[in-house]
Amino acid sequence: MLEILTLGNDVLRKKCATVAAFDKKLEDLVIAMIDTMHIGDGIGLAGPQVGVEKRIFVCHVPDDEPRVFINPEIIGTSQEISPYEEGCLSIPGVYSEVMRPRAVTIQAWSLKGRPFKMEADGIIARVIQHEIDHLRGILFIDHLPEKKRLRLVSQYEKRQSKKK
Ligand code: NI
């Protein structure tokens, strides 16, 4: 299992680099990321969360299989915006409703280096948007009004200090 970096770690705020080599090393990383996501009971995990500043994320939503997205880009979004309660393996224990487009169209590369397009709706569209944010150093709490964000961060910090 890979170590998951948490709020406060600078890597979570970095802009990630494009993946250029589709090799065994990338494949091993993806397998480790999927395992780490499963062990953490998450539905998505992005490169920077495990200290890899590359444009890559994995996701596994209910009633689907694990999926890998390399160099993903959102190329279309629905007009309709919907609320959904988000959490993040890098900010464990806190959740908040975030408004985002209900559906997205994305373009990405497979692990084998093949480009593909995908239309996503519902939970997976939500995860895709949350994870692509990670690749630009953005966390779900950044989408919240300041007051709400500060409250969530202090709630998170209290939880963390209790753990120690
Ligand atoms: Ni996250």
Side-chain angles (χ1 to χ4, degrees):
M1 184 183 166
L2 303 167
E3 187 199 346
I4 298 177
L5 308 181
T6 53
L7 188 64
N9 191 302
D10 286 349
V11 176
L12 293 174
R13 294 308 193 172
K14 296 271 171 68
K15 199 161 180 271
C16 295
T18 301
V19 172
F22 293 80
D23 52 11
K24 176 79 167 64
K25 208 176 146 200
L26 183 70
E27 207 173 299
D28 291 345
L29 170 67
V30 164
I31 291 167
M33 284 176 71
I34 291 172
D35 283 347
T36 303
M37 169 178 67
H38 285 153
I39 293 165
D41 216 9
I43 54 175
L45 185 69
Q49 293 184 275
V50 290
V52 176
E53 292 168 37
K54 287 194 175 150
R55 297 188 54 78
I56 177 167
F57 75 86
V58 297
C59 76
H60 191 179
V61 299
D63 303 318
D64 194 20
E65 56 195 21
R67 292 177 185 266
V68 183
F69 297 83
I70 296 160
N71 301 333
E73 301 283 351
I74 291 175
I75 56 172
T77 55
S78 62
Q79 293 273 349
E80 193 189 327
I81 304 289
S82 63
Y84 191 85
E85 182 154 276
E86 296 190 24
C88 182
L89 289 173
S90 292
I91 321 174
V94 297
Y95 303 87
S96 186
E97 207 168 69
V98 179
M99 301 295 291
R100 297 188 195 258
R102 198 205 74 235
V104 290
T105 304
I106 75 157
Q107 188 177 287
W109 296 74
S110 74
L111 196 47
K112 301 279 178 219
R114 292 196 191 97
F116 66 93
K117 259 188 205 176
M118 181 181 162
E119 282 178 23
D121 199 339
I123 297 183
I124 192 160
R126 178 57 57 142
V127 177
I128 286 169
Q129 293 175 81
H130 176 118
E131 301 310 327
I132 288 180
D133 268 359
H134 272 299
L135 308 181
R136 296 181 297 149
I138 296 167
L139 303 173
F140 81 93
I141 56 172
D142 301 340
H143 291 279
L144 305 174
E146 191 180 14
K147 239 179 162 178
K148 201 170 177 188
R149 181 172 63 249
L150 294 176
R151 193 169 44 184
L152 220 68
V153 169
S154 85
Q155 197 185 325
Y156 166 74
E157 283 167 350
K158 258 183 219 149
R159 274 183 61 100
Q160 292 307 103
S161 61
K162 262 187 211 155
K163 269 191 199 165
K164 280 163 198 163

